[in-house]
Amino acid sequence: MTVIAFEPIATARTPFTDKFGIPRQPRLVDAPGRILLHPPYDRREAFAGLDGFSHVWLLWVFHDDCLTAGWKPTVRPPRLGGRRSVGVFASRAPYRPNPIGLSAVAHHGLAADGDGLALQVSGIDLLDGTPVLDIKPYVPYADAIADAAAGFAQAEPDRRFSVDLTEDAAASVAARDPDNALALRRLIEQVIAQDPRPGYMDRYPGRTAFGLRLYDCDIRWRVDGDTALVTHCITDADGHP
């Protein structure tokens, strides 16, 4: 068969610097992102007319280990608690014959900084550094199908946890994001409220302490019933205990 090669047009810059904690679908968390365009695609005229569209499709590559890990015909999706198998083509699993992802995100126009020209988006669910293959406008009359059936993913997952921060953790978050430019506290609360743990974690009721990484921060939290308590926010500059 013919081998088809694609060149990424951009790189996604996102708060998600580790795979654990990334929302399982776009727009579940109001996470900001920048789609940093590569030359020669970093031309404003290539986006003329896009300002009339509130959302865009991102086509991207599951990179990291997904490019070399291979694939299996069946997977155990988190939505089913990691217990039931479905066909890989009935899932959005990252380990696929061609590890391509598709996300509909809100778009907020172009902005240029020292890194170059970027499309500003929100509701992103991509690992920082993800290669982006294409950007297309989201067209509601064609892309939103009101009576579509959703199989085993009938509704948006409920928020699993209420999220609190200790005084020390809240102070650390405020010190890292003093002007709230990153909306870091809200992002932490939204990500943890979705319960980023694997679906099979109820097999390990004794494990209550967890961590995830956002930007340059290691977030430590523990579970107590329906509450998740954030105990630490440790930045790379702070070092690790």
Side-chain angles (χ1 to χ4, degrees), residues 8-17 32-38 58-61 63 103 105 118-119 121 124-133 135:
I9 66 165
T11 299
R13 311 307 314 192
T14 83
F16 303 112
T17 47
R34 297 169 57 249
I35 310 304
L36 183 62
L37 297 152
H38 302 168
L58 303 178
L59 282 79
W60 46 276
V61 177
H63 61 305
S103 296
V105 297
L119 189 70
V121 300
I124 200 163
D125 62 336
L126 276 63
L127 182 67
D128 187 56
T130 293
V132 177
L133 298 178
I135 301 165

Side-chain angles (χ1 to χ4, degrees), residues 20-238:
F20 183 71
I22 297 177
R24 294 188 175 106
Q25 302 294 344
R27 295 178 294 113
L28 292 180
V29 170
D30 190 26
R34 297 169 57 249
I35 310 304
L36 183 62
L37 297 152
H38 302 168
Y41 313 110
D42 56 343
R43 301 168 64 105
R44 288 183 179 272
E45 60 265 37
F47 295 86
L50 190 62
D51 55 352
F53 294 89
S54 63
H55 292 74
V56 295
W57 290 107
L58 303 178
L59 282 79
W60 46 276
V61 177
F62 288 101
H63 61 305
D64 201 8
D65 64 332
C66 298
L67 291 172
T68 57
W71 70 284
K72 294 181 179 179
T74 61
V75 298
R76 297 177 180 267
R79 190 63 177 258
L80 297 176
R83 294 182 183 85
R84 287 176 50 197
S85 293
V86 301
V88 66
F89 299 124
S91 80
R92 299 192 180 187
Y95 301 101
R96 320 181 65 80
N98 294 302
I100 296 171
L102 178 69
S103 296
V105 297
H107 114 272
H108 307 288
L110 293 167
D113 59 20
D115 293 330
L117 187 67
L119 189 70
Q120 310 296 304
V121 300
S122 62
I124 200 163
D125 62 336
L126 276 63
L127 182 67
D128 187 56
T130 293
V132 177
L133 298 178
D134 203 0
I135 301 165
K136 298 178 183 290
Y138 178 92
V139 180
Y141 79 83
D143 296 340
I145 305 172
D147 58 350
F152 57 82
Q154 288 293 325
E156 178 180 334
D158 293 332
R159 292 187 178 270
R160 172 76 180 271
F161 297 124
S162 62
V163 182
D164 294 327
L165 281 71
T166 65
E167 289 186 7
D168 286 347
S172 297
V173 170
R176 173 62 182 85
D177 190 22
D179 56 3
N180 203 38
L182 301 177
L184 180 58
R185 177 164 181 161
R186 183 181 68 175
L187 183 61
I188 291 169
E189 292 172 342
Q190 289 184 342
V191 168
I192 295 177
Q194 296 283 341
D195 191 1
R197 302 174 304 163
Y200 54 77
M201 280 308 302
D202 58 357
R203 303 178 195 170
Y204 306 98
R207 182 177 176 186
T208 60
F210 301 91
L212 57 83
R213 187 169 176 84
L214 297 171
Y215 295 109
D216 60 346
C217 304
D218 284 330
I219 312 300
R220 311 287 177 81
W221 51 289
R222 65 174 184 260
V223 174
D224 182 8
D226 293 332
T227 298
L229 181 67
V230 179
T231 58
H232 296 82
C233 173
I234 305 166
T235 69
D236 289 349
D238 295 332

